[in-house]
Amino acid sequence: MFAYANENTISDKATAIKIAKTHWYKVTGEAMDKEYPLEAYLNNDVWLVTIKLPDNMIGGGATVEINAKNGKILKCYVGQ
């Protein structure tokens, strides 16, 4: 499991997005935001960083889930 922060909490969207982009590139070798912008939501101490796809697009984008308390990557996947 990867961790990108010490014991500090990740308290803002910009930091969560930066961590997600770094992790996604390390795993896939591709930029997470090369085609579409990213969004970040905090839900129960977990940052969900995902690609914002156009409303008319079918399918899902890349998502990285990050523990907001310790910076650990919980999941990294592409939705459907």
Side-chain angles (χ1 to χ4, degrees):
M1 185 176 299
F2 293 95
Y4 292 94
N6 294 324
E7 295 182 20
N8 301 330
T9 59
I10 300 167
S11 59
D12 62 273
K13 290 181 182 187
T15 302
I17 288 172
K18 183 177 177 182
I19 290 169
K21 287 171 64 173
T22 299
H23 180 72
W24 190 261
Y25 188 80
K26 283 184 179 184
V27 171
T28 67
E30 296 181 8
M32 188 176 184
D33 60 347
K34 69 180 178 182
E35 294 182 37
Y36 302 104
L38 300 178
E39 295 181 315
Y41 304 96
L42 184 60
N43 185 18
N44 295 325
D45 292 328
V46 175
W47 280 104
L48 301 170
V49 180
T50 186
I51 294 174
K52 180 178 170 49
L53 296 174
D55 291 336
N56 64 348
M57 184 174 267
I58 298 173
T63 300
V64 177
E65 297 183 14
I66 308 165
N67 184 316
K69 291 186 175 186
N70 60 21
K72 290 184 179 178
I73 302 299
L74 303 173
K75 292 181 184 177
C76 181
Y77 55 91
V78 176
Q80 293 187 22

